[in-house]
């Protein structure tokens, strides 16, 4: 298994993984399936901002991960929010952790300071994965989301990527 940057050829696999998670989980708070064209536009927008989209390949696409700006205002420029999705047939084998570790390395290399995961409170695998990868819960917001006719809790977990108080060029 290797981790590599995604290409346009990966879009069908990325779209299938995304849509399976939309249909069968509360990982993504929408019930709308995306087309491959929509996923391609999303990937291009992410890459245009200088952010990575990574896939785990072995030999097919097993999962993907990415990060982007946490919030829009310039004061948030050292913070990113990431996401990770593993194909339903390949979960529970440590792949999520491998992708998160690769995203942490990429964000660190870009000079980011804090990495944030926004996780459904009813997603024990993701909560566990992130705790094991050095993320700590910093906020839990009850019933801020809704999907499949139920309220959803949002848990924010964050990891500081460099030394506290590290100097910044600004
Ligand atoms: C969440 C997800 C990314 C985790 O990736 P994964 O490759 O399946 O997870 P890993 O094999 O790395 O295991 C993560 C940890 O969670 C644990 N875990 C897995 N399923 C669990 C469950 N249902 N309850 C509790 N812990 C669970 C594993 O045992 C492991 O802990 P360990 O390191 O102490 O053994 C993956 O399941 C997934 O893509 N799910 C659907 C989309 C999603 O939820 N994405 C995250 C959005 S924030």
């Amino acid at each position: 298994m290797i981790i590599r940057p995604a290409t346009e050829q990966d879009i069908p696999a990325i779209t299938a993984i995304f849509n399976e998670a939309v249909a069968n989980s509360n990982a993504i708070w929408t019930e709308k399936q995306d087309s491959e064209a929509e996923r391609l536009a999303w990937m291009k927008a992410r890459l245009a901002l200088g952010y990575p989209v990574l896939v785990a390949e072995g030999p097919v696409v097993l999962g993907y991960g990415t990060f982007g700006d946490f919030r829009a205002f310039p004061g948030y420029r050292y913070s990113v929010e990431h996401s990770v999705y593993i194909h339903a047939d390949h979960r529970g084998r440590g792949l999520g952790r491998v992708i998160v570790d690769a995203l942490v390395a990429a964000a660190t290399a870009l000079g980011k300071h804090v990495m944030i995961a926004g996780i459904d409170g009813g997603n024990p695998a993701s909560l566990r994965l992130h705790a094991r990868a050095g993320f700590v819960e910093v906020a839990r917001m009850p019933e801020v989301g809704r999907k499949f006719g139920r309220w959803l809790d949002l848990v924010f977990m964050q990891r500081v990527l460099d030394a506290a108080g590290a100097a910044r060029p600004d």
Side-chain angles (χ1 to χ4, degrees), residues 116-138:
I116 298 149
I119 303 171
D120 170 50
N123 188 345
S126 188
L127 294 169
R128 173 86 180 157
L129 159 65
H130 285 93
R132 298 264 285 166
F135 288 73
V136 294
E137 181 177 324
V138 291

Side-chain angles (χ1 to χ4, degrees), residues 27 84-86 91-97 118-119 123-126 128-129 132:
V84 54
Y85 302 99
I86 304 301
R91 292 179 190 150
R93 290 170 35 196
L95 292 170
R97 175 62 188 274
I119 303 171
N123 188 345
S126 188
R128 173 86 180 157
L129 159 65
R132 298 264 285 166

Side-chain angles (χ1 to χ4, degrees), residues 87-106:
H87 189 290
D89 295 344
H90 300 282
R91 292 179 190 150
R93 290 170 35 196
L95 292 170
R97 175 62 188 274
V98 173
I99 291 178
V100 167
D101 286 349
L103 294 172
V104 164

Side-chain angles (χ1 to χ4, degrees), residues 61-108:
V61 173
L62 305 169
Y64 71 96
T66 182
F67 57 80
D69 292 327
F70 173 56
R71 299 188 79 184
F73 284 109
Y76 292 105
R77 66 191 175 282
Y78 292 117
S79 298
V80 289
E81 180 171 357
H82 70 283
S83 53
V84 54
Y85 302 99
I86 304 301
H87 189 290
D89 295 344
H90 300 282
R91 292 179 190 150
R93 290 170 35 196
L95 292 170
R97 175 62 188 274
V98 173
I99 291 178
V100 167
D101 286 349
L103 294 172
V104 164
T108 304

Side-chain angles (χ1 to χ4, degrees), residues 114-162:
V114 171
M115 200 157 178
I116 298 149
I119 303 171
D120 170 50
N123 188 345
S126 188
L127 294 169
R128 173 86 180 157
L129 159 65
H130 285 93
R132 298 264 285 166
F135 288 73
V136 294
E137 181 177 324
V138 291
R140 185 171 284 255
M141 304 169 72
E143 301 188 1
V144 294
R146 193 162 176 91
K147 183 173 178 181
F148 301 142
R150 301 174 67 111
W151 296 115
L152 304 175
D153 299 346
L154 178 64
V155 178
F156 279 119
M157 299 183 75
Q158 77 170 57
R159 176 172 160 177
V160 178
L161 301 175
D162 53 8

